[in-house]
Amino acid sequence: MNKNKFMESYIENLQRITLKNFAETSDKDRYFALCDTIMELINQEWRNCKNRTRRSRKAYYFSAEFLVGRSLGNNLINLGIYDEVKEILSEIDIDFESIENFEDDAALGNGGLGRLAACFMDSAATQKLDMYGYGVRYREGLFKQKIENGFQVEGGDHWIKDGDGWSIRVESDSKIVKFRDQTVKAVPYDMPMLGFENEQVNTLRLWQAEPFEEFDFSYFNNFQYDKAVEEKNRAEDITRVLYPNDMQREGRVLRLKQQYFFCSASIQDMVSKYKRYFDHDLQFEDFSKYHIIQLNDTHPIIAIPELIRVLVDENGIEFERAVEITKNTFAFTNHTVLQEALESWPKDIMLEVCPRCFDIIKKLNENLVKEFKEKGLSEEAIDPYRIIRFDQVRMANLAIVMSKSVNGVAKLHTQILKDDTFKNWYKLMPEKFNNKTNGITPRRWLVYSNIKLSNFITEKLGSDDWKYDLTKLKDLEKYLDDEKTLEEINQIKFENKKELAKYILENEGISINPNSIFDIQVKRIHEYKRQHLNLLHIINLYHKLKKNPDMDFYPTTFILGGKAAPGYFRAKAIIKLANEIARVINNDEEVNDKIKVVFVNNYRVSYGEKLFPAADISEQISTAGKEASGTGNMKFMLNGALTLGTYDGANIEIFENAGVENNYLFGAKVEELNEIYDSYNPKEFYYKNEDIKDAVDTLLSGELNDNDSYMFLDIYNCLINPQGGEKADTYFVLKDFEDYKKTHEKINKEYSDRLTWARKSLKNIANAGYFSSDRTILEYAKDIWKL
Ligand code: GPV
């Protein structure tokens, strides 16, 4: 990059888009002008990629969520011009950080599933894989979380109200999407997905719903303006807002409309391009040779009947042939074993949204049933396989029949799919099932967000090859017994903790001690993730310190954060509990030099970038068997935190890679939980264990105040006093409490041996290579996509 040219064109852009003199421009102006300048810089390469890949086999990642976060810093890193641009800006007296902070997160996802899609986009481009992302351009991303009086309050997230510096509207590629009761226009917005320091620029294409005709002139001419506006709104409603339920199926018509909307537009896009560039193949003989679609969980499965519909109805392909093509085109990833997330759509709703797709699904189901009967299976034996049962379309079954690959996202998770969730399918078609352990992009989650550690690694390894091949971190092990290196690691962590402390003081108004242990749990709030186990332990610890002020104890700061689905009462109760515990403890002068509790407000990608580098302990405490993988666990590990975790999801693989002796494993394993499932009685633990009783009783003792919301009673009840046929403590919080507490005691003791701790930290960093999403995406490309 030519520095002078960049500065020139930046200032030119700034003045052109604002009509102001340089000195009069605001941070907002400066941010958007910088986006423009970068978009100009990459334009040529982006076009080159589009042209080069027109006739090549490509993977298409279909996902209802892409949790991209901010793009400015990441794009500069991937372009290899981060430092230069910072310098250029400082030469003209612009503070990079303040314009960086102007960027709103693109929060077009809820949590892990959406963030995984974003990490995959980064890694695919970095590995020079031709992968296209297809999704939804929600006008409102995931709600903004405010905490009022300890309660979560949701606010809007109109993330593009000031503009969108990273998208190009490609009007000419618009598609028409037809629902039973309405026809809308799908307009694509393309975001460039840059590879790391290579020439690759892939595309994330997000569809926005707009009225088919800007105004219905018949209404207009009849002076029915309100009707005309109503139609416009009804179209725009489809992509107005991201549904905020993580891991919870959503039965609303509008949700299915969203799904069908982006899947239909994407399939039409693929088919029309195929016809344009492969104009000799009118029979679509080679369609599946050039396209492989990866379905990110159940949300985009409606793309399957949609492809059949487009082939049959719009291109005259015979049904059976279209089915064959489709079966060779799709692959399916499952991301949870929780039943409440597995989607099924009532026949009525499907008929209301996309009747022709329902027809097709019905036919697929009939064919399947017929095939089974011919094989001699009874009606009953066929039941678990039916795509439609009791007038419900079971989306996972549809995907499994129609895909060439079915994968889970961590070893244990895939095993549970085979043994349990999809065991019937596995018996029938074992060859389809495979594992692809998740990963994270080291560019965003280390190179960009932890510059100090990143530079240190490069210096120690004598090269920055590790950014391209993260397994090279393994070479850091030669420093395991080098005291100077270990001290430097501690020093870097300390610097990061100071920065986080400053940020938390500014944003949460709580002062924390960077010399204390930073123990962090950030993720969506969910019972299976057991934030309440963490909180009950803090309550009990607090009481112990009150009783015994001279207790040997290393000061600890407990940091929690995460959003609760707006309709999930118990998750909101957990947030209130966290804030209430924080209020009581942080105001108690007898203990608040020993423990502090912070609930960070509005946890999101850009907050995570500040938290992961500063963690000593990574809390990964889900009930064994419930967290499919987890990816936050990997971000903490890569940044040198030790994992305090259960034998669940990818934690297991973290323990395997870094050594369980360098982390803190606790809690019951899946097999044990399966065995005791029916006989488990949490009350036994409650009566037998004083600490448990102390913590649980505190929920109702009056010491904590839930402002008459009955929230703490709800948490109490779910643990030991189940209501209305619910089972008590289904997530085994009380069962695991004692082991959790003991493990915390061990951590607290071992932390003061600072060199041993640093050695463990280094062990984790050095063995985080496996968890690069570069490795994951290459496995998809090799085993499933054959790219
Ligand atoms: I299904 N996940 C998510 O964030 N939202 C969902 O709707 C579903 C799954 C998550 C899992 O809970 C994590 O364990 C996993 O790491 C992540 O998906 C990515 O695979």
Side-chain angles (χ1 to χ4, degrees):
M1 182 191 69
N2 181 321
K3 261 171 106 169
N4 288 333
K5 236 181 100 191
F6 188 93
M7 172 141 39
E8 244 172 63
S9 89
Y10 176 59
I11 293 180
E12 214 177 271
N13 281 334
L14 186 52
Q15 299 178 338
R16 176 177 50 80
I17 64 178
T18 62
L19 261 181
K20 296 177 193 165
N21 299 319
F22 176 76
E24 298 163 346
T25 55
S26 65
D27 281 350
K28 173 177 145 185
D29 300 330
R30 293 167 181 197
Y31 163 74
F32 279 111
L34 190 52
C35 294
D36 277 9
T37 312
I38 294 167
M39 288 291 263
E40 281 165 19
L41 196 67
I42 63 180
N43 185 277
Q44 169 92 51
E45 278 162 11
W46 197 1
R47 278 184 291 117
N48 288 348
C49 273
K50 286 203 174 192
N51 293 336
R52 177 179 58 73
T53 60
R54 267 184 193 148
R55 291 183 175 82
S56 66
R57 175 172 172 82
K58 290 190 282 295
Y60 298 83
Y61 202 78
F62 276 42
S63 179
E65 304 188 6
F66 285 89
L67 218 185
V68 175
R70 289 178 175 163
S71 291
L72 175 56
N74 198 250
N75 283 346
L76 292 175
I77 289 281
N78 283 11
L79 288 168
I81 58 171
Y82 184 84
D83 292 329
E84 283 100 316
V85 168
K86 239 175 140 164
E87 249 173 57
I88 293 170
L89 294 181
S90 80
E91 277 168 34
I92 48 177
D93 270 341
I94 293 182
D95 173 35
F96 182 69
E97 214 176 296
S98 54
I99 53 172
E100 206 175 16
N101 283 331
F102 187 83
E103 182 172 7
D104 267 325
D105 281 37
L108 309 183
N110 275 284
L113 170 137
R115 183 55 231 176
L116 183 74
C119 282
F120 281 178
M121 293 309 300
D122 182 284
S123 282
T126 296
Q127 294 305 323
K128 290 186 169 272
L129 297 169
D130 300 327
M131 185 177 93
Y132 223 92
Y134 273 125
V136 184
R137 188 170 192 260
Y138 303 104
R139 178 172 182 269
E140 302 266 343
L142 182 60
F143 67 87
K144 285 201 173 112
Q145 178 190 59
K146 279 173 289 187
I147 302 296
E148 286 177 12
N149 196 21
F151 296 100
Q152 168 175 294
V153 177
E154 298 90 19
D157 177 45
H158 191 173
W159 64 290
I160 38 186
K161 64 176 179 305
D162 295 313
D164 173 359
W166 302 112
S167 294
I168 293 183
R169 180 183 168 99
V170 190
E171 183 76 40
S172 58
D173 277 359
S174 296
K175 298 285 174 291
I176 301 300
V177 176
K178 288 186 179 152
F179 302 99
R180 190 188 56 83
D181 61 343
Q182 122 190 76
T183 296
V184 303
K185 188 166 76 169
V187 184
Y189 281 73
D190 287 0
M191 290 180 86
M193 297 284 127
L194 309 178
F196 179 65
E197 296 187 348
N198 64 15
E199 255 78 89
Q200 185 90 9
V201 184
N202 286 342
T203 300
L204 172 57
R205 172 160 279 194
L206 301 177
W207 299 97
Q208 172 167 294
E210 295 183 11
F212 177 44
E213 286 172 313
E214 201 44 50
F215 272 106
D216 187 324
F217 285 98
S218 57
Y219 290 136
F220 199 64
N221 294 335
N222 288 317
F223 303 100
Q224 291 176 285
Y225 302 109
D226 46 347
K227 259 245 160 89
V229 172
E230 208 177 281
E231 272 302 300
K232 179 172 188 289
N233 285 339
R234 230 163 68 80
E236 290 172 356
D237 277 345
I238 292 168
T239 54
R240 194 171 307 280
V241 61
L242 166 76
Y243 278 100
N245 309 321
D246 185 65
M247 316 273 306
Q248 177 77 29
R249 83 177 82 83
E250 166 63 65
R252 267 179 265 247
V253 172
L254 190 60
R255 170 67 171 181
L256 183 61
K257 278 195 168 172
Q258 277 185 350
Q259 296 181 349
Y260 182 66
F261 168 77
F262 92 87
C263 288
S264 175
S266 307
I267 291 289
Q268 291 183 56
D269 199 29
M270 290 166 64
V271 169
S272 72
K273 279 186 189 147
Y274 187 74
K275 286 159 73 171
R276 190 161 351 131
Y277 299 119
F278 296 79
D279 49 8
H280 57 281
D281 185 18
L282 294 173
Q283 285 303 302
F284 290 82
E285 295 292 338
D286 285 341
F287 187 80
S288 63
K289 211 162 115 188
Y290 291 98
H291 304 86
I292 174 80
I293 299 174
Q294 192 70 41
L295 299 171
N296 200 21
D297 214 78
T298 51
H299 324 130
I301 289 174
I302 197 71
I304 291 173
E306 178 64 5
L307 176 58
I308 297 175
R309 184 191 72 77
V310 171
L311 292 177
V312 173
D313 296 3
E314 293 178 4
N315 293 279
I317 306 291
E318 214 184 304
F319 186 82
E320 298 308 326
R321 180 80 199 106
V323 170
E324 275 321 297
I325 294 169
T326 303
K327 277 185 165 169
N328 283 318
T329 302
F330 283 92
F332 169 54
T333 307
N334 167 280
H335 294 264
T336 186
V337 300
L338 296 194
Q339 285 303 315
E340 63 266 35
L342 281 189
E343 282 183 305
S344 63
W345 286 103
K347 173 184 173 182
D348 296 346
I349 289 189
M350 254 198 198
L351 286 175
E352 202 177 321
V353 174
C354 45
R356 178 63 179 133
C357 280
F358 181 79
D359 268 3
I360 290 166
I361 294 169
K362 211 171 121 202
K363 206 151 168 199
L364 293 171
N365 187 50
E366 284 162 9
N367 290 350
L368 184 77
V369 170
K370 195 168 138 234
E371 201 184 298
F372 280 132
K373 283 195 177 147
E374 281 165 9
K375 278 191 189 157
L377 270 78
S378 68
E379 292 281 343
E380 223 174 32
I382 298 172
D383 281 347
Y385 299 102
R386 289 179 203 277
I387 303 170
I388 305 175
R389 193 167 181 222
F390 305 133
D391 280 341
Q392 297 272 332
V393 180
R394 305 192 291 183
M395 302 306 274
N397 282 5
L398 173 59
I400 298 171
V401 188
M402 296 299 294
S403 295
K404 58 184 214 178
S405 160
V406 177
N407 77 280
V409 292
K411 266 199 265 175
L412 175 70
H413 170 59
T414 301
Q415 198 55 49
I416 295 173
L417 292 183
K418 292 177 182 177
D419 295 345
D420 191 20
T421 319
F422 298 143
K423 62 168 185 277
N424 294 301
W425 290 108
Y426 180 62
K427 260 186 266 164
L428 217 65
M429 34 189 85
E431 70 290 345
K432 277 192 188 180
F433 285 76
N434 64 95
N435 176 246
K436 294 285 167 284
T437 297
N438 283 164
I440 55 165
T441 167
R443 270 74 60 186
R444 180 177 295 265
W445 298 113
L446 179 54
V447 179
Y448 167 66
S449 58
N450 195 347
I451 295 173
K452 290 192 187 81
L453 184 59
S454 176
N455 290 341
F456 170 80
I457 292 169
T458 301
E459 188 195 305
K460 289 289 162 188
L461 296 179
S463 120
D464 72 349
D465 290 354
W466 60 272
K467 296 175 183 168
Y468 308 86
D469 173 5
L470 202 66
T471 61
K472 292 227 154 78
L473 291 181
K474 187 80 181 169
D475 292 344
L476 289 170
E477 287 201 341
K478 64 178 178 240
Y479 296 102
L480 277 177
D481 297 309
D482 179 45
E483 262 187 41
K484 184 176 151 274
T485 304
L486 297 178
E487 268 159 16
E488 285 171 319
I489 290 208
N490 281 338
Q491 188 57 34
I492 289 168
K493 184 63 82 180
F494 182 64
E495 300 290 330
N496 290 337
K497 286 164 76 175
K498 279 197 291 193
E499 271 176 44
L500 178 63
K502 183 164 166 271
Y503 189 81
I504 283 182
L505 182 61
E506 280 162 16
N507 286 273
E508 322 296 344
I510 302 173
S511 144
I512 60 177
N513 174 9
N515 282 302
S516 64
I517 302 172
F518 279 17
D519 175 307
I520 309 187
Q521 184 178 26
V522 282
K523 49 182 80 246
R524 286 300 286 254
I525 311 293
H526 206 292
E527 285 166 278
Y528 86 82
K529 296 178 188 281
R530 301 200 295 193
Q531 282 92 354
H532 48 334
L533 173 58
N534 189 347
L535 294 171
L536 288 172
H537 171 257
I538 297 171
I539 293 175
N540 181 237
L541 180 64
Y542 168 58
H543 287 162
K544 279 193 182 136
L545 285 167
K546 289 286 278 184
K547 249 192 259 161
N548 186 0
D550 298 326
M551 184 170 110
D552 199 14
F553 182 76
Y554 206 105
T556 303
T557 304
F558 294 97
I559 300 171
L560 293 94
K563 292 177 184 176
Y568 189 174
F569 183 80
R570 197 164 289 158
K572 289 181 141 178
I574 290 171
I575 291 177
K576 173 65 178 170
L577 181 61
N579 283 300
E580 182 60 8
I581 292 172
R583 187 186 65 78
V584 169
I585 293 181
N586 299 345
N587 288 311
D588 186 338
E589 283 182 10
E590 272 174 39
V591 299
N592 68 14
D593 57 342
K594 299 195 188 92
I595 43 175
K596 280 268 170 80
V597 180
V598 182
F599 186 86
V600 301
N601 187 9
N602 202 31
Y603 174 62
R604 58 197 185 282
V605 171
S606 58
Y607 213 137
E609 289 160 4
K610 301 179 168 67
L611 288 158
F612 296 114
D616 295 306
I617 284 291
S618 154
E619 295 255 5
Q620 306 300 335
I621 61 178
S622 53
T623 311
K626 298 298 182 191
E627 188 69 274
S629 161
T631 44
N633 47 4
M634 303 168 185
K635 294 163 198 167
F636 280 113
M637 177 200 197
L638 181 61
N639 284 276
L642 313 197
T643 299
L644 163 55
T646 47
Y647 208 71
D648 197 19
N651 296 352
I652 298 173
E653 291 160 75
I654 288 177
F655 296 138
E656 276 173 12
N657 277 275
V660 72
E661 69 283 3
N662 300 304
N663 288 288
Y664 296 93
L665 167 65
F666 79 99
K669 307 219 154 79
V670 194
E671 299 79 22
E672 190 191 348
L673 296 181
N674 286 339
E675 248 167 62
I676 65 161
Y677 188 82
D678 291 319
S679 62
Y680 176 57
N681 180 5
K683 277 208 172 122
E684 276 171 30
F685 290 86
Y686 171 82
Y687 285 117
K688 250 190 353 221
N689 185 311
E690 272 176 41
D691 292 326
I692 294 178
K693 187 160 187 311
D694 164 62
V696 172
D697 285 348
T698 304
L699 293 170
L700 300 184
S701 70
E703 184 181 352
L704 302 172
N705 184 351
D706 71 1
N707 306 87
D708 300 325
S709 61
Y710 295 98
M711 281 180 159
F712 299 168
L713 176 63
D714 182 64
I715 296 175
Y716 179 92
N717 284 343
C718 90
L719 294 172
I720 56 167
N721 183 27
Q723 305 289 301
E726 201 188 352
K727 221 172 119 55
D729 194 14
T730 33
Y731 294 105
F732 300 98
V733 171
L734 302 195
K735 168 151 179 63
D736 278 348
F737 183 94
E738 181 63 20
D739 198 11
Y740 182 59
K741 184 193 79 190
K742 288 235 172 79
T743 310
H744 263 298
E745 284 165 5
K746 190 160 173 246
I747 289 170
N748 199 268
K749 220 180 264 134
E750 294 182 353
Y751 189 79
S752 40
D753 183 352
R754 301 302 298 123
L755 280 184
T756 307
W757 188 278
R759 192 174 189 282
K760 291 178 177 176
S761 174
L762 182 56
K763 256 284 192 183
N764 276 280
I765 298 167
N767 290 285
Y770 181 74
F771 301 101
S772 169
S773 45
D774 295 352
R775 186 267 312 153
T776 314
I777 211 74
L778 285 171
E779 285 180 9
Y780 276 92
K782 179 167 168 286
D783 302 341
I784 305 174
W785 304 342
K786 319 281 180 203
L787 275 196

